[in-house]
Amino acid sequence: TGAIKVGEEPEGVKLSPDGKTAYVTSEVASLVHVVDLASGQGGKVVKNIKVGKRPRRFVMSPDGSELWVTNELDATVSVVDTKTHTEKQKIKFAVKGMRDADITPVGMAISPDGKSKWVGLGRANHVAEVDVVSKAVKNQILVGKRAWGLGFTPDGKTLFVANGLSDDMTLIDTASGKAMKTVPAGRVPHTILVSK
């Protein structure tokens, strides 16, 4: 139906709850493009939001007021206000014994109760639990090598983490904040999809 020109290496795409706006990352430009889908042929970019280096994936808050963006080469997550389309906060991650360059957030998932966002910290081999309201990092859990894709069971009791460089998947008990076990998952697992 149409094509929309955005920055180089667009990977993350997220629709607003009302379906009128699309958010698209440009990994090269370190931008989030705001696309009005009702404009022109298929839509047009109406705003560019500067975020951290190499933005990758999105998670929207349940009420649609915040868009969280992982910045892979910045060791951060940007929190974007969807009303003003501005970055209102950056959440910085630190893992003991790791350089910033080793903390590479990509995958994210929101708990079914909407209270926590969980972030895979990539080469840091950890997953971080972040409180949605305070934006404070509540917990960090050691998993496999290159924690990448994340997915919850429908009841939110278990988080599955795809570990891309150790060819396995870690199961986390979210109540205790501890890894329960790690199981083989084939070569370079990337994305988690949990049936409901």
Side-chain angles (χ1 to χ4, degrees):
T1 60
I4 303 158
K5 179 68 176 169
V6 294
E8 291 183 49
E9 293 188 36
E11 178 174 315
V13 179
K14 187 75 176 173
L15 286 177
S16 61
D18 62 11
K20 295 179 180 178
T21 306
Y23 299 94
V24 183
T25 61
S26 169
E27 295 180 17
V28 173
S30 298
L31 295 174
V32 171
H33 305 288
V34 182
V35 180
D36 178 357
L37 296 174
S39 300
Q41 291 188 337
K44 74 173 186 178
V45 175
V46 293
K47 187 162 185 183
N48 296 313
I49 305 166
K50 188 72 175 169
V51 290
K53 294 178 187 173
R54 196 172 168 86
R56 296 291 301 273
R57 305 280 170 76
F58 296 115
V59 168
M60 185 82 70
S61 62
D63 64 1
S65 66
E66 289 182 348
L67 183 71
W68 290 33
V69 189
T70 51
N71 302 308
E72 185 178 19
L73 300 184
D74 215 27
T76 64
V77 164
S78 293
V79 180
V80 172
D81 184 321
T82 58
K83 288 183 181 167
T84 62
H85 288 135
T86 56
E87 181 192 68
K88 66 179 191 178
Q89 189 172 350
K90 260 200 184 94
I91 301 165
K92 180 77 173 171
F93 297 97
V95 178
K96 190 173 182 180
M98 296 271 180
R99 298 184 180 96
D100 278 358
D102 295 324
I103 302 169
T104 54
V106 174
M108 250 187 316
I110 187 167
S111 60
D113 65 8
K115 293 180 178 178
S116 297
K117 287 194 173 83
W118 295 67
V119 184
L121 299 182
R123 290 195 305 263
N125 306 333
H126 281 74
V127 171
E129 180 186 8
V130 182
D131 182 79
V132 166
V133 176
S134 70
K135 312 296 188 283
V137 177
K138 294 167 58 177
N139 194 10
Q140 290 181 342
I141 301 155
L142 180 65
V143 290
K145 292 181 182 175
R146 190 160 185 176
W148 211 335
L150 289 78
F152 280 98
T153 54
D155 62 10
K157 292 181 179 178
T158 305
L159 177 69
F160 298 93
V161 182
N163 303 309
L165 293 184
S166 53
D167 299 337
D168 53 29
M169 178 177 70
T170 301
L171 283 68
I172 293 173
D173 174 34
T174 58
S176 67
K178 296 182 186 285
M180 296 184 288
K181 63 179 175 178
T182 297
V183 296
R187 294 193 64 195
V188 196
H190 181 281
T191 302
I192 299 288
L193 179 63
V194 181
S195 62
K196 295 185 178 180

